[in-house]
Amino acid sequence: MTTAQTDAVAKEPSAPATPSDQRERDRMWRRPARGRNQEGQRAALLPKGGGGRRAGWWPYLFLAPWFVGLFGLTVYPMLDSLYLSFTKFDLLTAPEWIGVDNYRKMFTDDPVFWDSVHATLLYVVVSVPLKLAFALGVAMLLNRPLKGIGLYRAAFYLPSLLGGAVAVAIVWRQVFGGDGLFNDFLGWFGIKGQDWVSSPDSALYTIVLLAVWQFGTPMVIFLAGLKQLPKDVYEAAAIDGAGPVTRFFRITLPLLTPIVFFNVVLQIIDAFKTFTPAFVISNGTGGPLNSTMLYSLYLYKKGFADLQMGYASALAWVLFLVIAGFTAVNFVAGRYWVHYDD
């Protein structure tokens, strides 16, 4: 092809566009404009002056009561008690800064403090396992489809609603007194009882029994967990010949370990803070021989009976650290025995 022929071909007009091609070009040219219009419409619908995220200050306004409670009733009192723990303060005069003297006295020159630590640890170690074991056993009994089972569940939960009351602690002291119902019960079998709340060897265990009697809350939590266990696993185990004991230790308990862990953490924290039963049963003295001097009771006596609020604040912070330490240990140890779905 010669140069003239090539120029002639190049100068030839192109073929006219088909209607479909023209519509495609129009759609491509209109798309940016349409996008800009949509962005403009969306921007017009948003409130003025807040950027892309239009939450504004309304959420903070609705959260304001919670923030007031958090900082006014929790954070500020905690920081104030931390300051008071380094002072000598009797509620009547201004606090006097004494540094770490309260903590040094607590650990080196206060035998009653160590009596309260011993009584509290013994109470926690004995009451928490007994309470959880009793709660799990009753929950398994109430997990059966029996007639009127709702009434039985309410009846077993009732002590937890009343167990922390002062009136119940007074009744409990009368039951285990020298002329109480417990000694009358033992008399039917020819056993001579004693004044259980006045004996240093048994006074603390009456409080332990009161704690175990309040098993309703962990029982309800265990019952909710038992309702979620898969039935087909039990059916397969029964077909394989597994008995009730084997099914409990090989199926129920492993599947229930998250619920057990939850109850263990809550009950340990609650046991460390026990106050009312020890105060009522011992008439506020922690006796006999400091056998019922639980830590919270000793903290109360130092702060409000002896007016040593600085020392009581130091006791409170030690209790806080102990509870935090036990909780952290539970979470670390839980990695090895708590089994989740994953």
Side-chain angles (χ1 to χ4, degrees), residues 40-58:
Q41 292 172 0
R42 283 196 294 266
L45 293 175
L46 294 175
K48 301 295 184 181
R53 298 181 179 180
R54 307 299 178 178
W57 50 270
W58 284 102

Side-chain angles (χ1 to χ4, degrees), residues 180-204:
L181 295 177
F182 186 68
N183 284 339
D184 293 341
F185 173 75
L186 294 178
W188 294 348
F189 303 95
I191 302 175
K192 185 179 179 180
Q194 61 177 358
D195 193 345
W196 302 94
V197 297
S198 299
S199 173
D201 298 328
S202 58
L204 182 63

Side-chain angles (χ1 to χ4, degrees), residues 15-339:
T18 63
S20 60
D21 294 338
Q22 186 64 35
R23 285 195 299 269
E24 181 64 24
R25 293 195 192 98
D26 294 340
R27 186 161 52 250
M28 293 176 62
W29 281 104
R30 284 197 300 267
R31 192 172 299 162
R34 184 183 302 175
R36 287 193 297 269
N37 291 338
Q38 290 174 349
E39 292 293 334
Q41 292 172 0
R42 283 196 294 266
L45 293 175
L46 294 175
K48 301 295 184 181
R53 298 181 179 180
R54 307 299 178 178
W57 50 270
W58 284 102
Y60 302 100
L61 177 64
F62 287 109
L63 288 173
W66 182 83
F67 280 118
V68 171
L70 174 65
F71 291 101
L73 301 178
T74 302
V75 176
Y76 172 74
M78 288 183 63
L79 296 178
D80 190 52
S81 69
L82 180 61
Y83 164 74
L84 292 177
S85 69
F86 296 99
T87 65
K88 181 180 180 181
F89 182 44
D90 59 1
L91 293 177
L92 302 176
T93 59
E96 176 186 352
W97 182 268
I98 59 174
V100 296
D101 286 353
N102 286 329
Y103 295 95
R104 182 165 52 245
K105 175 185 176 183
M106 185 188 311
F107 291 106
T108 61
D109 192 25
D110 189 356
V112 182
F113 165 77
W114 292 109
D115 289 340
S116 68
V117 170
H118 175 265
T120 303
L121 289 177
L122 181 61
Y123 173 80
V124 172
V125 170
V126 176
S127 66
V128 171
L130 288 177
K131 185 176 184 179
L132 294 181
F134 200 72
L136 179 57
V138 175
M140 294 185 66
L141 292 176
L142 297 180
N143 194 35
R144 301 181 177 182
L146 302 176
K147 185 177 180 180
I149 194 65
L151 180 61
Y152 290 110
R153 292 170 182 170
F156 279 107
Y157 182 71
L158 184 61
S160 290
L161 299 178
L162 305 175
V166 175
V168 174
I170 293 175
V171 173
W172 204 262
R173 185 179 62 188
Q174 297 298 324
V175 168
F176 289 95
D179 300 326
L181 295 177
F182 186 68
N183 284 339
D184 293 341
F185 173 75
L186 294 178
W188 294 348
F189 303 95
I191 302 175
K192 185 179 179 180
Q194 61 177 358
D195 193 345
W196 302 94
V197 297
S198 299
S199 173
D201 298 328
S202 58
L204 182 63
Y205 295 100
T206 62
I207 303 177
V208 170
L209 287 177
L210 179 56
V212 175
W213 186 63
Q214 306 171 45
F215 65 90
T217 299
M219 179 203 70
V220 171
I221 298 174
F222 278 133
L223 187 59
L226 290 171
K227 294 292 184 183
Q228 304 301 319
L229 300 185
K231 303 298 182 183
D232 54 347
V233 179
Y234 289 93
E235 295 174 356
I239 294 173
D240 291 339
V245 176
T246 303
R247 291 198 298 267
F248 174 76
F249 285 103
R250 295 297 182 90
I251 299 176
T252 303
L253 205 55
L255 293 178
L256 211 61
T257 49
I259 306 299
V260 175
F261 173 75
F262 179 77
N263 273 330
V264 166
V265 172
L266 289 188
Q267 295 305 317
I268 287 178
I269 295 174
D270 187 65
F272 270 110
K273 299 187 302 179
T274 300
F275 168 77
T276 302
F279 180 86
V280 174
I281 290 177
S282 67
N283 288 320
T285 63
L289 300 179
N290 294 330
S291 60
T292 60
M293 183 66 76
L294 297 185
Y295 196 95
S296 296
L297 176 59
Y298 184 57
L299 191 157
Y300 168 82
K301 285 173 61 65
K302 280 298 182 182
F304 296 98
D306 300 338
L307 295 183
Q308 299 180 20
M309 189 56 68
Y311 192 74
S313 298
L315 289 171
W317 273 95
V318 170
L319 178 61
F320 169 76
L321 294 177
V322 168
I323 292 176
F326 270 85
T327 305
V329 169
N330 281 326
F331 272 91
V332 173
R335 301 175 183 175
Y336 301 98
W337 64 272
V338 180
H339 309 287

